[in-house]
């Protein structure tokens, strides 16, 4: 795990990349949120983010988030970005402030029900497999309208947008195509349901420029901020 000085330097470089990508895309850098991804790193990673004034962190496992959240009382928002198993939903709705990785109808309904039992409303994103990568979770484009309809009807969910992970692919254009597909899908869904989907969570360390060019409003960055994860 890197130290504090290195983190600040990495953060500076990431902000430069965001700014440059926004300039090239003719976008306002304020419109792109940086979500530091602290998974597989010690709680220090969370503390560094909080000290730097970042307001949220991304984790991909429920138990890891519970442990770190118990140590850090920094008032951050905790976002789940990894696949969620049915038997972990109860703990997930208790620990996370938003679930980005809603990738099946079953999961959507379960999050709704268990959030209701806790007397809360859970903000969610629908994860879309917009690159149609068979190794990735997420709704395929034909299923997403049905998922959106359910999410809008659910009493204890607040649908805020869409999330995708680009395919693992050698072809540098495939990420950009997946991001563009998500942006177009977002526009179609907004029109069809007359409901805004302001959040487009897309782009990571290796493909954030392509994501920003295609309209990302939140990039999820781990490696470029914290170095390699030792897993
Ligand atoms: C790990 C992870 C990231 C961060 O990836 P980096 O390449 O380390 O920036 C982003 N999104 C999701 C869903 C992840 O699981």
């Amino acid at each position: 795990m890197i130290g504090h000085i290195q983190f600040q330097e990495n953060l500076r470089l990431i902000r430069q990349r965001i700014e440059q990508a926004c300039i090239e895309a003719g976008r306002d850098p304020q419109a792109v949120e940086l979500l530091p991804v602290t998974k597989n790193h010690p709680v220090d990673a969370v503390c560094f983010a909080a000290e730097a004034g970042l307001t949220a962190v991304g984790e991909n496992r429920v138990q890891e988030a519970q442990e770190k959240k118990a140590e850090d009382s920094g008032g951050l928002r905790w976002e789940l970005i990894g696949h969620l198993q049915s038997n972990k939903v109860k703990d997930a709705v208790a620990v996370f402030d938003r679930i980005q990785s809603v990738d099946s109808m079953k999961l959507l309904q379960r999050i709704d029900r268990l959030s209701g039992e806790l007397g809360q409303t859970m903000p969610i994103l629908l994860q879309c497999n917009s690159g149609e990568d068979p190794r990735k979770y997420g709704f395929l484009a034909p299923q997403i309208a049905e998922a959106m309809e359910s999410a809008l009807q659910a009493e204890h969910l607040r649908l805020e947008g869409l999330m995708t992970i680009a395919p693992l692919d050698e072809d540098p254009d495939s990420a950009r195509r997946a991001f563009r597909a998500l942006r177009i899908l977002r526009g179609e869904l907004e029109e069809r349901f007359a409901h805004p989907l302001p959040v487009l969570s897309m782009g990571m360390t290796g493909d954030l420029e392509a994501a920003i060019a295609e309209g990302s409003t939140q990039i999820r960055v781990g490696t470029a901020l914290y170095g390699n994860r030792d897993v």
Side-chain angles (χ1 to χ4, degrees), residues 2-227:
I2 58 162
H4 191 240
I5 305 281
Q6 184 66 52
F7 173 77
Q8 285 181 320
E9 175 62 8
N10 291 349
L11 180 59
R12 194 180 64 77
L13 292 171
I14 271 292
R15 286 187 164 141
Q16 259 175 19
R17 281 177 67 184
I18 295 171
E19 192 168 326
Q20 190 57 38
C22 283
I23 290 169
E24 280 167 28
R27 300 186 57 203
D28 175 2
Q30 300 295 326
V32 181
E33 184 190 0
L34 170 62
L35 180 71
V37 174
T38 48
K39 70 180 187 199
N40 303 123
H41 289 297
V43 71
D44 285 357
V46 176
C47 301
F48 290 170
E51 283 160 18
L54 294 160
T55 54
V57 289
E59 286 280 341
N60 68 340
R61 286 175 46 233
V62 176
Q63 194 190 337
E64 190 176 333
Q66 284 172 323
E67 288 165 10
K68 289 179 192 168
K69 201 175 172 183
E71 282 186 62
D72 179 82
S73 55
L76 293 158
R77 282 185 297 114
W78 291 73
E79 300 216 30
L80 179 61
I81 61 172
H83 176 66
L84 179 57
Q85 291 168 330
S86 312
N87 61 343
K88 304 271 174 66
V89 173
K90 195 170 183 171
D91 287 337
V93 298
V95 75
F96 287 104
D97 300 295
R98 182 160 71 182
I99 298 178
Q100 299 202 2
S101 42
V102 178
D103 56 17
S104 73
M105 292 294 274
K106 194 174 140 213
L107 186 60
L108 186 152
Q109 286 155 2
R110 202 171 168 88
I111 295 170
D112 178 44
R113 182 165 62 75
L114 291 165
S115 298
E117 283 177 15
L118 286 183
Q120 62 184 40
T121 297
M122 178 57 72
I124 61 161
L125 305 183
L126 296 177
Q127 181 172 349
C128 187
N129 189 355
S130 60
E132 303 191 2
D133 182 340
R135 291 157 295 189
K136 292 260 152 57
Y137 290 104
F139 293 101
L140 293 169
Q143 312 162 329
I144 197 111
E146 191 193 345
M148 178 155 174
E149 190 168 9
S150 295
L152 292 178
Q153 282 167 2
E155 233 180 296
H156 306 286
L157 300 179
R158 189 169 73 233
L159 178 61
E160 297 184 330
L162 306 178
M163 179 271 224
T164 199
I165 305 171
L168 287 170
D169 202 318
E170 294 300 309
D171 173 6
D173 291 334
S174 74
R176 178 129 185 195
R177 279 196 301 273
F179 298 146
R180 183 175 310 149
L182 195 70
R183 172 170 55 78
I184 291 169
L185 185 63
R186 190 254 307 254
E188 290 168 358
L189 292 169
E190 284 184 324
E191 195 169 331
R192 175 162 171 184
F193 292 97
H195 183 93
L197 294 169
V199 179
L200 273 188
S201 171
M202 55 188 199
M204 324 195 324
T205 292
D207 54 24
L208 66 92
E209 282 84 2
I212 289 172
E214 294 297 343
S216 172
T217 68
Q218 189 194 56
I219 55 170
R220 310 175 305 263
V221 178
T223 309
L225 280 175
Y226 297 111

